[in-house]
Amino acid sequence: MGYAPIKTDRGVIGWLLLSIVTCGIYSYYFLYCLARDINVMCQDDGDSTPGLAAFILLSFVTCGFYALYWYYKIGNRLQANAPRYGLMFQENGTTVLMWQIVGALLCGLGSIFAMNIIIKNTNAMATAYNVRLDARA
């Protein structure tokens, strides 16, 4: 894996607006970048976040259940790797999954809250990763 800095300024508003404007295409690009960056930051944990092709195919085959599992795994992976960077995330995969499922009853707003948790935790971990990267240089 590479040693390039990881983007730290992702935001839920930008994700939401760009996803709406592009009729959902941006959301797939976002997931691709998210999986790539999480795999870089967590590369030595013995796990791997599947990429966009697996996400789309398996979500289609399982009528969307794989997407819920994918988000759940990302939430857990971020929480498990946070101590490596001196961080501690209260939210885990169960929190993300509950927002996805129960939040569906709130006119779909739960997905936005779940993505906000993932974005917030990814940005925090990316900031710590970049600091560590700068220290190596």
Side-chain angles (χ1 to χ4, degrees), residues 2 4-5 9 14 30 42 51-52 57 61 64 77 90-91 96 101-103 109 120 126 131-132 137:
D9 61 350
F30 187 88
C42 305
L52 184 59
L57 179 65
V61 169
R77 192 167 185 209
Q90 291 183 1
E91 307 91 359
V96 172
I101 294 171
V102 176
L109 293 176
K120 176 183 66 80
V131 166
R132 185 177 287 181

Side-chain angles (χ1 to χ4, degrees), residues 31 34-35 38 49-50 69-79 92-93 96 118 122:
L31 292 178
L34 190 68
I38 289 172
T49 300
Y69 174 73
W70 193 84
Y71 287 115
Y72 169 79
K73 290 285 289 182
I74 282 191
N76 281 341
R77 192 167 185 209
L78 288 170
Q79 186 188 42
N92 61 12
V96 172
I118 291 171
T122 303

Side-chain angles (χ1 to χ4, degrees), residues 8-135:
T8 60
D9 61 350
R10 291 183 174 107
V12 74
I13 301 296
W15 164 76
L16 185 61
L17 291 177
L18 286 170
S19 294
I20 291 169
V21 169
T22 63
C23 300
I25 295 170
Y26 178 76
S27 64
Y28 287 120
Y29 172 73
F30 187 88
L31 292 178
Y32 164 79
C33 293
L34 190 68
R36 179 196 63 208
D37 292 348
I38 289 172
N39 280 331
V40 168
M41 292 184 293
C42 305
Q43 64 186 343
D44 296 326
D45 70 349
D47 199 359
S48 178
T49 300
L52 184 59
F55 177 86
I56 292 171
L57 179 65
L58 292 172
S59 295
F60 178 74
V61 169
T62 63
C63 299
F65 285 106
Y66 179 77
L68 296 174
Y69 174 73
W70 193 84
Y71 287 115
Y72 169 79
K73 290 285 289 182
I74 282 191
N76 281 341
R77 192 167 185 209
L78 288 170
Q79 186 188 42
N81 283 278
R84 291 172 51 180
Y85 297 100
L87 303 170
M88 187 177 87
F89 299 145
Q90 291 183 1
E91 307 91 359
N92 61 12
T94 303
T95 309
V96 172
L97 184 62
M98 292 308 293
W99 272 114
Q100 291 277 3
I101 294 171
V102 176
L105 302 173
L106 303 170
C107 302
L109 293 176
S111 295
I112 296 170
F113 291 125
M115 186 56 82
N116 185 54
I117 291 168
I118 291 171
I119 290 171
K120 176 183 66 80
N121 291 350
T122 303
N123 283 343
M125 190 177 287
T127 300
Y129 173 85
N130 291 340
V131 166
R132 185 177 287 181
L133 193 64
D134 289 342

